[in-house]
Amino acid sequence: MRAQASSRWHQYDMLDARALAPSRIGGLWFPVTVLLLVACGAIAYVWFQSTTDSLHRELTELRGANQVLGKEIDNLALDLETYKSARHISRSVQEFDLALRPPYPGQVRRLSLARHVPETPSETADTLLARRWQPGDAAEYRQRLR
Amino acid sequence: MMHRAVYVIRAALVFGALGAGFAAVTAHLYRLQIVRHDELLEKARAKYTTSRTESGRRGAILDVNGNLLAGNLACRDVLAEPGRFRENQDEVIAILHEELGVSPDMLRTRFSLDRVEVVVKRGVPIAAAQHLAAYDLPGIRFVDTYRRYYPKASLFANMLGFLDNNGRGVSGIEALMDDTLQPTLGRAVFERDRKGRQLHNDFRRETQPRDGANVYLTIDEPIQSIVEDELAVLVDHHAPKAAYIVMADPRDGAILAVGQYPNFDPNRRLPEAMRHGHWLNRVLTHGFEPGSIMKCISIAGALDFNVVTLGDLVDCEDGYWVHHRRPLRDSGHRHGELRVWEVIQKSSNIGTAKIALDMGERRMFQTLRRFGFGQPTGLGFQNEATGIFRPLRNWDGLSLSRFAIGQGILVTPLQMVQAYCGLANKGVMMQLRIIDRIEHPEPGVVDMIQARPKARVLRPEAAEQMVAAMMTVTRAGGTARGAAVPGYDVAGKTGTSQKFVNGTYESGKHTASFIGFVPADDPAFVLLIAVDEPTRNGYYGSAVAAPAFSRIAEKTLRYLQVAPTRRETPLHAQTATFTALP
């Protein structure tokens, strides 16, 4: 019996030692987590900041490229003006023997309609036609395009 | 106890030192952040911010329907800092020569100049500049800019004018409307990184650049093309020294087209063409003796003052008459008595001189002055000539008879067109104008230039009588049947004048002209064709200028869709002709 009793005390000691171990780990967990969070936050901040900077740089470059393209489009519009000129058209008609000629005087009657101002300079007869159509006609229009 | 005292002293020393340090730091921060705040902020800003000047675009010049005549081509100026070249200078020169076509010798000369930065080439196309930029040459810099570009090349070039190297207009419309077309400068401030590149944040514009206003002319580009194409045909056929064509709408004074020879291409200002004055605006600055085209003005004055009527008879002395001991001849024909309308139809010098003598000096002077001779037309060009028209006190015994037939008086083509606009518009002479409207960069702000009458030059009845007489000129028996336009009544007058060179009239040098309007009863335009010193295929106005008038008028009427006033051929025949054409 005694041997059993001494053995019980020893078991209590063991139990005490086991009870102390988890409380030490629990005490470290919080500051470590905070430190980790702070570190993660800092890394995320730096990473986002770096991404933002590179995006800004990319945006600036794209804006520059867009500006260049815009200028080239403007330059092409100037070229288009050359090709739109009456002189160029009449010479091309002769050169390619298109057999086109202006209408005979009086052939065209001027009607007093309100002046139509196209929304875009490149508007064509097709797009005008498309805009006048009802939504249900879209399938037919697509068919036409095919 | 001993230990405790030591600890207290040590702690006091440490805290005292820390406190003193903290106080020093605080004082320094106070000095930096509060006392020298503004000064240091400015210093820092100067380091990390920079500014650039931004320019708007020069306004465009367009015709009345918005066809572009002068615009801006985006391009780049290439600049070099020879001191920053890392490669061998010869290698850089070789690359620049290959990419930009600038001669190596010129580049070497420029790089040897004692300047930090030199221009390699201005106005380089963007694609070429980007190609060069791909070499990533240190010391080569690109500046975005615009170059004036004329998409229609030589079309209307003399009137449009051109710019100098500083972008200021030096002649023509570019000079006339320079203040309106000029853009204003803006200033943008931005932060930059260590390498000087713009950072995205905190970009602001201190002043916004403003584009120049767009100027719309009264010119109609298709009509201008017709005029210049026919002018080229005329020049090819008659090889003149110079030629001018001016077309204006007599109802509102709008100038529809101005053709000039010689002309030039403002995009390629060749030194040869510039040296010989091909860029000059001769319709504004060149005066010519009008000859017989002045007769309509003189006789219109006589009709207006009721000195004569169209049916009155004038003795034309069989083509030879001496007045003030100087002979006056009717070239090419000998007529006895002619009615006043026949004097115009046959272009009799003697008949016109006699009518002028009946008018008297004062009335003739009044008439010519009223029609605007001797004064600028008021278009606004600084260098516009007034011609030569002597004041009444300087007239001599021959002035009356010679001025009436267009001798001894110098007029500009524009003055003559203005005067005939008065005849065509039932006696009301409209102010000539070439600017139709000005479109400002702010949306919806447009200045319209209103047409306004300049003067009543004739009673309507007198103008109608003169038009009736002028219509006979292009019909059977008239001097300019070649100016007739099938289907339309043309009122006009030919002119052939000898040139006055070094105090005498030279027999071999002439100015051939024709001026008229069509349809005669409700003119769509007045058209003047003046050819200076034609050297081939005749020199009379009827042979040189009248056929060109007919061709230009026919094409322009077709373009303007003016229905024929006379049906010379049955309509079905016209339709058949039209449909049978290829």
Side-chain angles (χ1 to χ4, degrees), chain B residues 182-335:
Chain B
Q182 273 292 339
T184 57
L185 297 177
R187 190 162 173 266
V189 179
F190 57 89
E191 289 184 8
R192 59 181 173 179
D193 66 7
R194 197 169 55 84
K195 289 184 176 175
R197 290 177 304 201
Q198 180 184 343
L199 291 175
H200 184 68
N201 53 336
D202 200 26
F203 171 75
R204 67 196 156 89
R205 280 202 167 86
E206 286 193 341
T207 41
Q208 192 80 18
R210 185 178 179 273
D211 290 343
N214 292 335
V215 173
Y216 288 76
L217 306 180
T218 55
I219 296 297
D220 199 330
E221 191 238 305
I223 299 179
Q224 180 70 28
S225 296
I226 292 169
V227 162
E228 293 205 11
D229 286 350
E230 287 302 330
L231 180 64
V233 172
L234 186 150
V235 167
D236 194 41
H237 194 58
H238 296 285
K241 184 181 167 192
Y244 325 104
I245 300 181
V246 183
M247 186 189 283
D249 186 338
R251 294 162 296 190
D252 63 4
I255 294 175
L256 301 174
V258 179
Q260 302 186 56
Y261 170 82
N263 64 2
F264 75 115
D265 181 351
N267 295 321
R268 297 186 306 131
R269 279 181 267 159
L270 301 174
E272 189 71 6
M274 301 308 278
R275 204 166 37 246
H276 288 99
H278 291 186
W279 57 276
L280 288 170
N281 222 341
R282 288 186 168 83
V283 290
L284 290 171
T285 57
H286 182 82
F288 68 103
E289 280 203 7
S292 296
I293 55 175
M294 186 59 102
K295 287 172 187 166
C296 294
I297 306 292
S298 313
I299 296 174
L303 292 169
D304 193 54
F305 283 113
N306 285 322
V307 175
V308 289
T309 63
L310 283 185
D312 288 352
L313 284 168
V314 184
D315 185 3
C316 293
E317 312 278 352
D318 288 327
Y320 185 83
W321 181 55
V322 178
H323 174 64
H324 266 266
R325 287 177 288 171
R326 290 283 178 90
L328 187 61
R329 293 183 180 86
D330 279 338
S331 57
H333 49 82
R334 293 176 178 181
H335 296 290

Side-chain angles (χ1 to χ4, degrees), chain B residues 76 95 98-100 125-136 142:
Chain B
R76 285 179 181 164
I95 294 170
E98 193 183 319
E99 293 295 328
L100 305 177
I126 292 177
Q130 279 182 320
H131 207 255
L132 177 63
Y135 286 94
D136 200 17
F142 300 89

